[in-house]
Amino acid sequence: MAALGLALASSLAGLFATARRPALLRGLSLPLFALSGLAALACGLLALADGGSITLQLPLGLPWLPWQLRLDALSGFFLVLLGALTLAVGIYGVGYVRDFERGRDQLPPLGAFSGLFLLGMELVLMADGAYLFMVAWELMTLSSYFLVAFQHDNAANRRAAFLYLLMGHISGLCILLAFGVLASFSGSFAFAAMRAAHPDFLWASVAFALAFTGFGIKAGLVPVHAWLPEAHPAAPSHISALMSGAMLKVAVYGFLRVVFDLIGPLHWQWGVVVLTVGSLSALLGVLLALMQTDLKRLLAYSSVENLGIVFIGLGLSLIFLGTGHRLLGALALVAALYHALNHALFKGLLFMGAGAILHSAHERDLDRMGGLLRRMPWTGTFFLIGSLAISGLPPLNGFVSEWFTFQAALQTWQLHSGLLRTLIPVAAAVLALSAALAAAAFVKAYGVAFLGRARTRQVRRARQVPVNMRVGQGLLALGCLAAGVFPSTVIAWIVRVPQSLLGSGLPQAGAQGWLWLTPVSPTTASYSAPGVLLALLVLAGLTAWLVHWGAVRRVRRSDAWDCGLAPPTPRMQYTATGFAQPLRRVFGAWLRVDEGVDAGEGATPRHRLQITDRSWALFYAPVVRVLDRLTRLVTRMQAGHLRVYLAWTLGTLLLLLWVVTL
């Protein structure tokens, strides 16, 4: 309740205080925002430690349908995730919003809707009934719509906000229908009643399909992801961090709550669908991320990839549970939850880094950056940690969750179905390819933005960001390091979720102590993150010793050979577009690439490159064409003649009378 109250207080402070004194957004609203995150973090840790469930009825709602809250291990885990990210975002935002005070943007909407956005997410995680869940879901969607449209002077932002709102409502409608199917069997919208009722396979599959579509839209899965790369970059950067790091996980929570907790017995066929969609999302998301030159769009497409990895884990879990392998199902579920936590940490960190660049250099285009590490060393260091983590390199956290997912996939030999024994290795191969492409994407992002020389004057003038922004980034960077170096401790907390949902944990994961992680058994696979860290530190120390005291010290230094041409300039550096060119040639069939040279008469030839998502042409463009035709038909009704309108009225009346008599 403290977390909810503080989020509401943050919203009210943002609405009323900032209208008269803009600086109060930094002094009151955002500190309350951060405190709400801290309270949610503490609440989630208590729920995980307890392992049981606590329910509470609020004096709100309808007389026959009161609002009930429930806190168990599943909601506790996602409250920890949300709280940790909100705490960092609240601290970071105090410095970030300083720029808005000097601009034309209205600050009260930013403060008010940020608090409501957080309140909506917290309520979704605690709701114990479909009614409150949907109210909180719509609160989350509507408040985030206003945050996406915050800088509405830009037409692209207005378009992104409209698309986000449209897809958000389609998502909400699908989820509502899923709850409707479950409520028709339970006779109530309370989750406790739904949990007790078990629909037959057909209706359970209908509810699953609706829930997967609804939560999949909000999670940004392919092919219903089109809103994500438009909406996340349009929002202010600290909100982008919260949307990508937390809101997408609220969709994962909703999927877990409905499918793993409410529907009843699980079926492996659902896992095949989830695994296939997750694999496609991971591959297409990272390919599109690799092609981007806008840093925030690159991060947004990377979220599609990472949510695909989360759903690969969930698909594996459904397959194993549906075929009676409870321990392996718990292993895959832990892998998915671990990656969800990791994604919240490193994607929040990277969006904050992008916001710091935007705050200091006023630039999002990678091809116009360069040399930022020298001007923003703290941001460069934190961004490097986030890039290493998202690339899945040890000893950081991204490696552990992806390794866990691979370990689950490698247990396919225990299944009897030939289809599953073929499908899962293919999905594992897609995961491996996605991980390699993600590393390439973030080598490009970091190398082009932070190394080399500055390409523009405003990037050359970039300076270090305020201390609040550095502290916010530092907290998440520390979280990435801690979750990577002490995976046994993290898993000891995460495993409370499968224990609560499935009645099965991973007793062997930490059986060798905190030093070793053994997902299946010590003889099958093991990993020691502290040992890897120690080895890297020794290697770094040895390299430093060789450079300063060994033979390497005598290396002769001179200017780089430049073919006898002019000295190197920033224009000679690799650009983001040039870096991705070889991969664009290899994977061009998956994308719509329009590339060429525009050479008009008397004009300077210019390179033209436009890369669009094929899902637009395959899924969205036909819908738009159908809607356009329907709209044209409807507009014919507006003939402008009174007799036509009277005829329509009479026809409608006769139709209604016929319906009543049925």
Side-chain angles (χ1 to χ4, degrees):
M1 289 299 294
L4 299 176
L6 286 166
L8 185 60
S10 168
S11 175
L12 293 174
L15 181 63
F16 295 110
T18 58
R20 287 171 288 182
R21 193 175 176 188
L24 286 180
L25 178 65
R26 290 185 282 112
L28 183 60
S29 180
L30 282 169
L32 289 172
F33 189 87
L35 285 175
S36 176
L38 187 61
L41 176 63
C43 181
L45 287 173
L46 287 174
L48 282 175
D50 182 68
S53 63
I54 306 168
T55 56
L56 175 67
Q57 183 167 315
L58 299 177
L60 296 170
L62 300 173
W64 64 92
L65 204 59
W67 287 3
Q68 286 190 326
L69 303 180
R70 185 170 188 265
L71 197 59
D72 58 10
L74 179 61
S75 52
F77 170 78
F78 281 91
L79 277 174
V80 168
L81 182 153
L82 173 63
L85 185 57
T86 302
L87 176 63
V89 165
I91 296 170
Y92 174 92
V94 172
Y96 184 76
V97 300
R98 198 183 286 269
D99 259 6
F100 296 128
E101 295 176 5
R102 297 189 287 268
R104 294 183 303 169
D105 300 310
Q106 296 290 318
L107 293 181
L110 179 61
F113 289 116
S114 296
L116 289 177
F117 181 41
L118 178 59
L119 178 66
M121 287 192 288
E122 290 173 346
L123 275 174
V124 168
L125 298 181
M126 298 183 194
D128 194 28
Y131 178 38
L132 176 57
F133 188 98
M134 291 309 303
V135 170
W137 187 268
E138 288 303 313
L139 177 63
M140 177 181 73
T141 300
L142 288 175
S143 54
S144 52
Y145 158 74
F146 286 107
L147 292 171
V148 172
F150 173 62
Q151 291 176 312
H152 53 81
D153 290 344
N154 189 333
N157 290 358
R158 293 198 299 274
R159 177 179 175 274
F162 174 74
L163 181 61
Y164 171 63
L165 187 66
L166 179 66
M167 296 297 286
H169 278 91
I170 295 173
S171 161
L173 180 62
C174 291
I175 297 167
L176 183 63
L177 291 174
F179 282 135
V181 171
L182 295 179
S184 67
F185 284 89
S186 64
S188 169
F189 284 97
F191 283 170
M194 293 182 185
R195 203 172 284 120
H198 297 300
D200 56 37
F201 175 69
L202 175 63
W203 285 107
S205 298
V206 171
F208 164 79
L210 289 166
F212 185 46
T213 305
F215 293 118
I217 291 174
K218 186 62 91 177
L221 295 180
V222 171
V224 286
H225 65 288
W227 65 271
L228 197 154
E230 304 295 327
H232 284 195
S237 293
H238 64 301
I239 300 298
S240 300
L242 207 56
M243 289 179 74
S244 187
M247 188 184 75
L248 302 184
K249 310 310 175 307
V250 174
V252 175
Y253 163 82
F255 179 80
L256 284 167
R257 177 63 74 192
V258 172
V259 175
F260 282 75
D261 189 27
L262 300 182
I263 280 187
L266 302 173
H267 302 278
W268 64 266
Q269 294 88 343
W270 302 348
V272 172
V273 176
V274 175
L275 182 67
T276 306
V277 173
S279 302
L280 286 175
S281 301
L283 185 57
L284 191 62
V286 74
L287 279 177
L288 286 165
L290 196 51
M291 302 302 151
Q292 303 305 311
T293 57
D294 183 311
L295 182 55
K296 290 185 77 174
R297 282 182 70 86
L298 185 153
L299 296 177
Y301 272 117
S302 167
S303 293
V304 176
E305 179 231 345
N306 280 279
L307 266 293
I309 295 174
V310 171
F311 275 85
I312 286 175
L314 295 179
L316 288 173
S317 180
L318 282 170
I319 289 173
F320 286 128
L321 291 171
T323 51
H325 297 81
R326 189 170 292 273
L327 190 63
L328 296 180
L331 172 65
L333 180 58
V334 168
L337 292 172
Y338 206 144
H339 199 75
L341 174 66
N342 290 341
H343 182 249
L345 293 173
F346 53 61
K347 190 49 66 64
L349 172 60
L350 292 169
F351 263 115
M352 287 182 184
I357 296 172
L358 194 58
H359 180 275
S360 182
H362 307 284
E363 190 58 72
R364 282 173 41 178
D365 188 350
L366 284 168
D367 284 345
R368 296 173 61 82
M369 297 182 193
L372 284 171
L373 183 60
R374 199 175 304 166
R375 294 163 179 82
M376 305 172 68
W378 283 105
T379 299
T381 304
F382 295 141
F383 200 94
L384 178 62
I385 292 173
S387 299
L388 294 174
I390 201 170
S391 300
L393 297 179
L396 292 163
N397 55 346
F399 172 79
V400 182
S401 52
E402 292 189 14
W403 183 72
F404 241 68
T405 310
F406 278 119
Q407 291 303 318
L410 288 174
Q411 304 308 313
T412 312
W413 61 272
Q414 300 194 34
L415 300 173
H416 299 295
S417 166
L419 170 68
L420 298 178
R421 294 176 72 159
T422 305
L423 177 67
I424 294 176
V426 172
V430 169
L431 177 61
L433 178 60
S434 303
L437 292 174
F442 282 91
V443 165
K444 179 190 84 170
Y446 190 81
V448 174
F450 287 95
L451 304 182
R453 297 184 182 186
R455 292 176 171 85
T456 60
R457 179 181 297 177
Q458 57 188 14
V459 171
R460 264 196 300 278
R461 292 177 177 174
R463 295 292 179 267
Q464 196 56 271
V465 292
V467 66
N468 314 72
M469 296 175 68
R470 280 178 273 165
V471 170
Q473 294 174 74
L475 284 176
L476 294 184
L478 193 61
C480 289
L481 193 61
V485 176
F486 304 106
S488 300
T489 307
V490 177
I491 286 174
W493 287 88
I494 294 178
V495 84
R496 311 290 172 87
V497 179
Q499 283 174 347
S500 166
L501 288 177
L502 313 174
S504 175
L506 291 177
Q508 75 290 347
Q512 305 298 314
W514 64 272
L515 194 58
W516 288 96
L517 186 62
T518 53
V520 181
S521 71
T523 56
T524 304
S526 59
Y527 169 65
S528 174
V532 171
L533 179 64
L534 183 63
L536 289 175
L537 289 176
V538 170
L539 185 63
L542 187 62
T543 305
W545 181 82
L546 286 173
V547 168
H548 288 282
W549 303 102
V552 182
R553 192 184 179 191
R554 292 190 292 276
V555 170
R556 185 168 61 90
R557 297 180 182 276
S558 63
D559 293 334
W561 180 57
D562 55 7
C563 304
L565 302 176
T569 69
R571 296 190 63 181
M572 297 180 183
Q573 299 175 135
Y574 245 121
T575 62
T577 307
F579 188 94
Q581 191 264 353
L583 291 168
R584 198 163 58 242
R585 295 285 182 269
V586 174
F587 296 101
W590 287 71
L591 312 167
R592 295 188 72 190
V593 181
D594 177 19
E595 186 172 12
V597 176
D598 293 331
E601 188 176 350
T604 306
R606 297 184 67 85
H607 177 245
R608 182 189 73 255
L609 175 63
Q610 186 175 9
I611 299 172
T612 51
D613 192 341
R614 280 195 179 277
S615 60
W616 273 104
L618 291 173
F619 300 101
Y620 297 90
V623 174
V624 170
R625 283 196 291 272
V626 170
L627 289 176
D628 187 52
R629 287 175 186 169
L630 289 175
T631 307
R632 289 175 188 276
L633 288 174
V634 171
T635 52
R636 290 181 185 175
M637 296 167 61
Q638 295 183 341
H641 300 293
L642 182 60
R643 62 178 181 278
V644 176
Y645 295 140
L646 288 173
W648 280 114
T649 306
L650 179 61
T652 306
L653 184 61
L654 291 174
L655 179 65
L656 289 176
L657 287 172
W658 176 72
V659 170
V660 169
T661 56
L662 289 178

